[in-house]
């Protein structure tokens, strides 16, 4: 069961005024949040993916896959479009969407293309975000989104931190609950320059790491699994 979905309050455009960037940041909540009222003509709660899953549970055979076979959040050539794209992909994974197809493929020189690479090929060697979703939360998803998944190929924990603030910096603390890291976390970041960079590793202290990402940036942390963690899995 699939649908096409575009935010309809101007987000699917090249507009990057301050007001539109902030709206684009908020609008991804229409994919999941039962308390978010869509700011376009819909003017109602959408919570699209949970709603689709509920329709399947009610009207279709159990286990019928769901998908969004067209979507686009606009601003492909701007970092705001990149953070929105990264947020959307994280939501798709966390909410259990079975498939998605973006309309269309962004130009390879754009930040939005690089945002997709942060999940699928962040190091240019085919390394990807994890394939088993892990619970992760942020107190204010309009300003900061976080998604996590374990990678079955090597047991690593991958954490995607999306700083949506339009400017400035704010320290971020990533606490690890039931995952035991086997060493320092590799850190990759996409910011306003539009190029993925590998930054200094972060060594967990007190069960987590702290760093300060710039506004409008996407940071991927890759925590290697300890031998004890691998045995637990």
């Amino acid at each position: 069961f699939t649908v096409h979905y575009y935010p309809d309050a101007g987000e699917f455009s090249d507009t990057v005024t301050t007001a539109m960037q902030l709206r684009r940041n908020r609008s991804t909540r229409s994919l999941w949040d039962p308390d978010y009222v869509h700011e376009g003509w819909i003017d109602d709660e959408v919570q699209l993916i949970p709603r689709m899953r509920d329709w399947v549970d009610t009207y279709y055979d159990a286990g019928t896959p769901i998908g969004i076979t067209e979507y686009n959040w606009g601003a492909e050539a701007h970092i705001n479009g990149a953070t929105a794209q990264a947020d959307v992909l994280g939501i798709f994974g966390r909410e259990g969407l079975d498939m998605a197809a973006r309309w269309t493929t962004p130009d390879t020189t754009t930040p939005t293309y690089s945002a997709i690479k942060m999940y699928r090929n962040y190091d240019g060697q085919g390394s990807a975000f994890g394939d088993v979703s892990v619970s992760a939360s942020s107190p204010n998803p309009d300003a900061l989104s976080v998604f996590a998944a374990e990678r079955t190929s090597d047991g690593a924990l991958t954490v995607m931190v999306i700083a949506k603030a339009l400017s400035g910096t704010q320290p971020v603390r990533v606490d690890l609950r039931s995952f035991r890291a086997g060493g320092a976390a590799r850190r990759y970041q996409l910011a306003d320059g539009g190029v993925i960079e590998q930054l200094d590793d972060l060594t967990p202290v007190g069960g987590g790491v702290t760093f300060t990402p710039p506004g409008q940036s996407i940071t991927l942390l890759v925590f290697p699994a300890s031998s004890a963690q691998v045995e637990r899995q």
Side-chain angles (χ1 to χ4, degrees), residues 5-9 30 36-46:
Y5 186 71
Y6 297 83
D8 65 358
S30 66
Y36 177 73
V37 176
H38 195 282
E39 297 175 51
W41 65 268
I42 296 175
D43 191 30
D44 202 349
E45 297 88 354
V46 178

Side-chain angles (χ1 to χ4, degrees), residues 27-39:
S27 65
T28 58
R29 287 166 53 197
S30 66
L31 291 167
W32 62 274
D33 189 349
D35 297 321
Y36 177 73
V37 176
H38 195 282
E39 297 175 51

